[in-house]
Every structure is written in C-alpha cells, then in structure tokens.
Amino acid sequence: MTHQVDGRRPRVVLGVGGGIAAYKACEVLRRLTESGHEVRVAPTEAALRFVGAATFEALSGQPVRTGVFADVPEVPHVRLGQTADLVLVVPTTADLLAKAAHGLADDLLTNTLLTARCPVLLVPAMHTEMWEHPATRDNVALLRSRGVVVAEPASGRLTGADTGRGRLPEPAEIVELARLLLARPDALPRDLAGRRVVVSAGGTREPLDPVRFLGNRSSGRQGYALASVAAQRGAEVTLVGANTTGLAEPAGVEVVRVGTALELRDAVHAAAKDADIVVMAAAVADFRPRETVEHKIKKTDGDPEPVALTRNPDVLVELVRDRRPGQLVVGFAAETGDAGGDVLAHGRAKLARKGCDLLVLNAVGDGRAFEVEDNAGWLLAAGGSERTIPHGSKAHFASHVWDEIVHILSE
C-alpha cells in the first residue's frame, strides 16, 4: 500500500552517497518505484563512480544530475527540496553527515538537504571506526536534535574482510522506514533512548517427528517491525525470533533465534531480567506433543495413534508474574469472533486474564494480520483506554504501539 499525498504519488528524493553500499540504493529505488512512488535520484559525483547515472535513470524514469548548473531555469537545487515529500539518502557517508550537520552545500544533493522542509531520512554506511568517531557521533547528535532521522546502522560484513557496526540496513527495511515517515512524519522520535526492550516474534513449532510439527501462520513480520522501529527510536533491543529465518535481521537489534515454545520461554525470561519493556508479539503454541517420535511416522505403520498433547507454559502470564518494579509488559492477541463474543470482547477478556499493561489486538482470518505486509487492530490498556490502530504497513502499526507504550511510561 502506497501512502498518497493529496491524491498524488509521493515524491521522494533519493540521495546516494559515495560509498561501496551505493549499489544497494538501486534496490531501494526499485522497491520505491514499483510501489508507486515518484523518485528523483540525486547522487554525489563520488556515487557515480560506484553506480552509473544510466542505471538510476532507467530505474527511476527521471534524469540524474549531480551539480546545480544543469537545468538552471528549473532551479533544481531549490525545487527538489521544496517539492519533496521525503528526502532519503542511501548510503549516507561520514562526509555527507558532516556536510548536512554544518550546512555545507557544494552539489545538488547537499543543496537539496538545505531546502527540504519535509522529513529527511539519512541511512549511514561506513566502517565501524568512522561511525564511532567522536566527530561522526557529534554530527549525528546535532542532526537528530534538529529533527533529522539518522537511522541506526546494521552490524555485519563491511568492505573487505572487516565486520562490525556501520553496515547499511537491508533495502527492505530502509523502504519500510521511508514508507513510515511518508505516512507519519513524526513516527521516529528518539523517545526510547536509554530503554532496554525485548520483543518476541514469529511462531513456535512443536515437533511431532523429525519431519512434522505443530505450528501456526505467524511470519514474524510484525515483531520484526516492532523491533526495527524501537531501535530507530533509540532503544537497545533484543529480538527473540521463533522460526523467522526468512527475515533479515533489523538494524541495530540483537537477534536470538529459537524454535519451540520452551526455547522461546527460556530466551525471553533471560533477556527480560534487565529490560524496561517486554513485548510478546510471538505466536506461542498453546500445546505440544507429549512425546516426540524419533523416526518419521510412515503411512505403512497403519492407522496412527492419536497425538497426546500437553499444555505449554503461558509465557506472558509468567512475565507479568515475575516482572520487576517499573517493567512494562505488552501482550498480543490474535482473535476471531464466535458465538461467545466479537473480537473486542475476546480481547478485553484476555487482557483481564493475562494482567499485562497493554494488549495489542488483531482480528485474524480472511487475509488479515498473518502472512501479509499490512496490519490494523486495537490497543487495550490495563487502565481501561482503548484505541484503534488504522490500517497501514506493519512498521506504521508498530509506531502506534510504541506511541502508546511511551504514553503509559510517561504516566
């Protein structure tokens, strides 16, 4: 879903800095254009040494310029920033961060950054030593103090054999953050700075034999979006992912991978000891087989015996019971209406049973919540307030959840 602006396609200026990660800007550009955004690429001269102008022009359908003396009658160095709905710079080098922080404007991109009055999202990519240098840290802090969104970089393989903090986040995550800022320009404040957060995501699988398992349809996308948005809002995040191997790790997030409900229970309890906020977004199986067969059950074995089940621990209830003073615990509920009540009625009953501070409620079925890119739902607080989250991307949904969490913490 593309968030329209005044009934038209959103206008994005995609700046490209001169770093090796410039090639990933092509994937960001492709994702933006294919999802209905109008994109104008403004690379630096150094960026064109990594990716040619023809590539950006072919993918965007727009001319590519680097200087302020091309198309002078159109005054592009002013018009691009004035008419943009978002300025996104991928990758943002240490040099570009310094220029943006100090108002230097020696090409089309840096002039555009000075004239932009829309949200600006800078996505850094550089070696760890450069990212951690006091000059870079000061430039980032200064930009953030002015309302510029400087994304947290990922950790991983850098240029050559080096690894560490400073890797460009994955293009899919960058585009989700861009979509979020187009829909909600104020969605990424640094209001979780200094907070330690645990988020669980995905669906547990309980093995029947070496091949089969009891599971559910949770992909983990919503939990990953919650972790990503929390990290970009300044939190120190641990993400416990159950069977989410198809998803890229969010930038700035420590990921602990688990499979079963018991493994998830152990990992979440361990991470929660020092956490300020615990968000249980994972779909944890209520039951597991009492016994796991060590060999594959075959049709030739005759009619199978009924599978005896045993109840899994209720991790959310345990977290509420064991929480330390001041810790906030958030639960998730996926519900369908039935003869006993509608979705909201079941959600309110679950909130009362679980005793958590906030319950995030989703209606499921008919292509809703599970295995889709967008989401909608309700926020039910222990204090009695209820709020609807409008339909939008899962990052958009996550931003509303964090808004409510910050509001509860402030009280």
Side-chain angles (χ1 to χ4, degrees):
M1 183 185 74
T2 301
H3 176 77
Q4 298 234 323
V5 179
D6 299 327
R8 59 170 173 78
R9 292 196 301 161
R11 299 187 186 115
V12 178
V13 174
L14 176 60
V16 184
I20 184 61
Y23 77 94
K24 292 186 179 180
C26 298
E27 177 66 12
V28 172
L29 173 57
R30 184 188 67 80
R31 287 174 176 267
L32 286 171
T33 55
E34 289 185 355
S35 57
H37 299 80
E38 179 183 322
V39 187
R40 181 75 179 264
V41 182
T44 64
E45 282 289 343
L48 294 182
R49 301 187 66 158
F50 292 96
V51 181
T55 299
F56 293 130
E57 289 180 338
L59 291 171
S60 68
Q62 300 280 347
V64 170
R65 304 284 186 269
T66 60
V68 298
F69 294 107
D71 303 320
V72 170
E74 296 181 10
V75 200
H77 71 288
V78 174
R79 291 284 182 267
L80 283 180
Q82 287 178 333
T83 59
D85 299 305
L86 175 71
V87 176
L88 168 64
V89 183
V90 181
T92 305
T93 61
D95 179 64
L96 272 175
L97 282 173
K99 287 179 177 178
H102 297 284
L104 301 181
D106 58 1
D107 62 5
L108 184 59
L109 174 55
T110 49
N111 273 270
T112 298
L113 289 171
L114 278 182
T115 58
R117 295 299 180 266
C118 59
V120 175
L121 172 57
L122 306 180
V123 188
M126 63 196 73
H127 265 68
T128 306
E129 293 85 354
M130 300 173 74
W131 174 250
E132 294 177 349
H133 194 282
T136 302
R137 304 310 299 156
D138 287 348
N139 289 332
V140 169
L142 181 58
L143 287 163
R144 285 173 172 166
S145 73
R146 295 174 181 159
V148 175
V149 178
V150 182
E152 291 292 329
S155 296
R157 183 71 178 268
L158 304 171
T159 306
D162 293 341
T163 61
R165 191 90 182 275
R167 179 183 172 89
L168 191 78
E170 292 301 315
E173 184 176 6
I174 294 171
V175 171
E176 277 303 290
L177 294 175
R179 289 179 63 197
L180 173 58
L181 289 175
L182 283 165
R184 300 190 70 204
D186 59 348
L188 294 175
R190 301 287 293 181
D191 53 2
L192 290 173
R195 300 283 189 181
R196 293 184 297 274
V197 169
V198 177
V199 178
S200 69
T204 62
R205 295 178 179 179
E206 313 302 324
L208 288 164
D209 63 19
V211 176
R212 303 171 181 88
F213 60 85
L214 298 179
N216 56 67
R217 294 173 57 192
S218 177
S219 66
R221 289 193 186 108
Q222 186 60 75
Y224 270 58
L226 283 158
S228 172
V229 171
Q232 299 304 340
R233 288 173 74 150
E236 179 185 328
V237 184
T238 299
L239 173 63
V240 179
N243 304 295
T244 56
T245 52
L247 299 178
E249 295 185 1
V253 172
E254 178 188 357
V255 179
V256 179
R257 299 193 181 278
V258 297
T260 68
L262 294 180
E263 291 170 353
L264 181 139
R265 176 201 195 193
D266 291 343
V268 170
H269 275 293
K273 290 179 181 177
D274 299 321
D276 301 300
I277 307 161
V278 183
V279 181
M280 278 294 295
V284 183
D286 293 325
F287 301 94
R288 67 182 186 275
R290 191 180 299 277
E291 295 181 355
T292 299
V293 180
E294 294 184 359
H295 63 275
K296 179 183 175 183
I297 302 171
K298 299 183 181 297
K299 293 179 182 179
T300 55
D301 291 342
D303 292 336
E305 294 293 325
V307 177
L309 301 178
T310 187
R311 188 179 295 275
N312 274 322
D314 192 319
V315 183
L316 179 58
V317 168
E318 291 180 345
L319 289 167
V320 171
R321 180 196 66 204
D322 298 338
R323 63 182 164 188
R324 58 187 179 81
Q327 188 179 69
L328 190 145
V329 179
V330 180
F332 265 65
E335 296 289 348
T336 61
D338 57 25
D342 61 12
V343 170
L344 269 171
H346 286 304
R348 291 170 185 139
K350 180 167 283 189
L351 175 64
R353 288 198 311 273
K354 303 291 187 180
C356 50
D357 300 287
L358 180 69
L359 187 77
V360 184
L361 177 62
N362 288 130
V364 296
D366 299 324
R368 294 178 294 181
F370 287 142
E371 299 176 314
V372 293
E373 292 186 359
D374 297 334
N375 204 358
W378 299 266
L379 295 170
L380 311 182
S385 66
E386 297 183 1
R387 188 160 68 86
T388 301
I389 301 180
H391 186 267
S393 71
K394 289 193 170 179
H396 179 268
F397 188 95
S399 71
H400 282 280
V401 175
W402 288 116
D403 284 352
E404 185 67 19
I405 290 171
V406 170
H407 173 70
I408 293 172
L409 289 171
S410 71
E411 293 184 326

